[in-house]
Amino acid sequence: MIKNNSVEQFGISLKQYNTFSIDIKAKRLVRIHNEEKLVEFIDSNEEELFILGGGSNILFTKDVDKTILKNELKGINILEKDESTVKVEVGSGENWHELVLWTLKNDFGGIENLSLIPGTVGAAPIQNIGAYGVELKDVFIALEAIHIKTGERKRFSKEDCKFGYRESIFKKSFKGQYFIIKVILELTCSKHQLHTSYGPILKTLEEESIDVPTIQDISQAVIKIRSSKLPDPQKIGNAGSFFKNPEIPIAQFQDFIKKYPEAPHYIINEQKVKIPAGWLIQECGWKGKREGDAGCHKFQALVLVNYGKAKGKEILNLAKRIQKSVFNKFGIEIVPEVNIFY
């Protein structure tokens, strides 16, 4: 996808660096290949910096008048291993799905349900990525990061990261302040705990006549499901699920389910219930709807797409209209999962 491997580029289009394929320009792009160069750059630079990983969870709505640090820190190392668990240290610029494939090759379990999620390893804790009953925080031990203004190196534990549903401290009070350089995960190397009850995983395994699944089988099932539902960013611009699934109070849910008894839902605890945002959007008539080159995908209403030359603002305006219609019909607020650069 990336055609130019020079370390520093000026006035470059970011179309090939974001999966929405939004054609906007960056003032300067600097490719970070090692930690030493990162610290050296921070120490000698006084400009405002913007960190970019795989570009799979961002919508650019205008040119970036900042220096972009493109994360390309690589490396996968085993720190500790015993009969039951293994601790793995991963460079933040590694591709997430390639990491999943590496774990499966080594028969390390824990992130097979997170197969085919786009983006880098460094972006995973920022978003606390999750799918099919598993979240990153379930296997997360710690990360190391560098403050992009002071160059200070800091280690963040699971508690420090303040993980929530598609949330972390790096999307809140520390947003844009730290360059994550490595992530440490604890995986299983025997007696893997399989998660098959969430979504259509079990059904997919049954269709394949798999009665006793392995972690590799789980991964293949997830890949099959995701490939059938989500468009390939290489073929049509998108950032996967655009909105978070809303969590509503139980009292509001009781009123909601009386009006819409057919609505899918997931009970989180005694206080909250999760409603699929895709269902809400579909019920408002947005599924498959297109406005110019911006649209709502025909197979998955949760995914907004760029059919060719849509501008970021056009996709954002479509998202806002979807939000408004969902709130007007259901009284439920849906918020973007995708990071928006205004």
Side-chain angles (χ1 to χ4, degrees), residues 18-193:
N18 72 97
T19 59
F20 256 123
S21 294
I22 303 298
D23 190 11
I24 50 92
K25 290 186 177 181
K27 176 182 177 181
R28 176 168 61 155
L29 184 142
V30 178
R31 300 158 71 91
I32 302 298
H33 295 284
N34 60 68
E35 182 182 339
E36 291 73 22
K37 289 293 183 182
L38 172 61
V39 174
E40 181 182 308
F41 182 81
I42 290 173
D43 289 343
S44 63
N45 183 78
E46 296 182 356
E47 296 181 69
E48 191 172 2
L49 304 174
F50 182 86
I51 302 164
L52 183 64
S56 61
N57 195 49
I58 188 166
L59 175 65
F60 289 108
T61 63
K62 65 176 183 178
D63 289 344
V64 183
D65 190 28
K66 302 178 182 180
T67 292
I68 290 180
L69 301 181
K70 179 70 173 66
N71 185 356
E72 298 187 2
L73 299 175
K74 300 297 178 69
I76 303 176
N77 301 300
I78 294 175
L79 298 179
E80 300 175 19
K81 185 181 179 184
D82 56 31
E83 292 182 358
S84 57
T85 62
V86 58
K87 288 183 181 178
V88 180
E89 179 185 85
V90 190
S92 57
E94 290 283 355
N95 176 274
W96 174 262
H97 182 60
E98 289 179 6
L99 169 64
V100 175
L101 296 179
W102 179 87
T103 65
L104 295 172
K105 183 178 179 180
N106 287 276
D107 200 34
F108 297 156
I111 57 175
E112 56 276 358
N113 289 54
L114 306 182
S115 297
L116 213 62
I117 292 180
T120 60
V121 169
I126 296 174
Q127 188 75 1
N128 184 25
I129 59 171
Y132 303 107
V134 174
E135 292 184 310
L136 178 84
K137 68 180 180 63
D138 300 332
V139 297
F140 182 88
I141 296 295
L143 64 80
E144 294 183 15
I146 291 176
H147 196 281
I148 61 172
K149 287 190 176 180
T150 66
E152 176 191 8
R153 185 189 183 104
K154 182 175 173 64
R155 182 182 175 93
F156 290 84
S157 67
K158 182 188 292 189
E159 291 72 25
D160 294 333
C161 292
K162 300 186 185 304
F163 290 126
Y165 173 55
R166 304 299 175 268
E167 290 283 2
S168 73
I169 196 169
F170 303 104
K171 288 187 74 175
K172 295 180 178 178
S173 56
F174 286 168
K175 185 175 182 177
Q177 294 185 32
Y178 282 91
F179 190 112
I180 296 171
I181 56 176
K182 60 182 66 174
V183 176
I184 301 170
L185 308 176
E186 184 174 79
L187 307 171
T188 55
C189 47
S190 65
K191 298 180 181 179
H192 305 305
Q193 183 179 358

Side-chain angles (χ1 to χ4, degrees), residues 248-306:
I248 63 175
I250 193 70
Q252 183 182 0
F253 169 73
Q254 289 171 348
D255 291 336
F256 168 82
I257 205 66
K258 287 178 183 177
K259 295 179 182 178
Y260 308 99
E262 76 285 4
H265 58 275
Y266 305 94
I267 297 174
I268 301 170
N269 51 44
E270 294 179 354
Q271 287 79 40
K272 290 184 177 181
V273 178
K274 183 182 294 185
I275 311 294
W279 184 87
L280 298 171
I281 296 166
Q282 181 175 320
E283 290 299 300
C284 289
W286 288 101
K287 187 176 181 180
K289 193 169 183 178
R290 177 172 176 171
E291 297 180 355
D293 272 0
C296 191
H297 196 255
K298 60 182 179 180
F299 295 137
Q300 175 51 269
L302 197 54
V303 178
L304 302 189
V305 296
N306 175 7

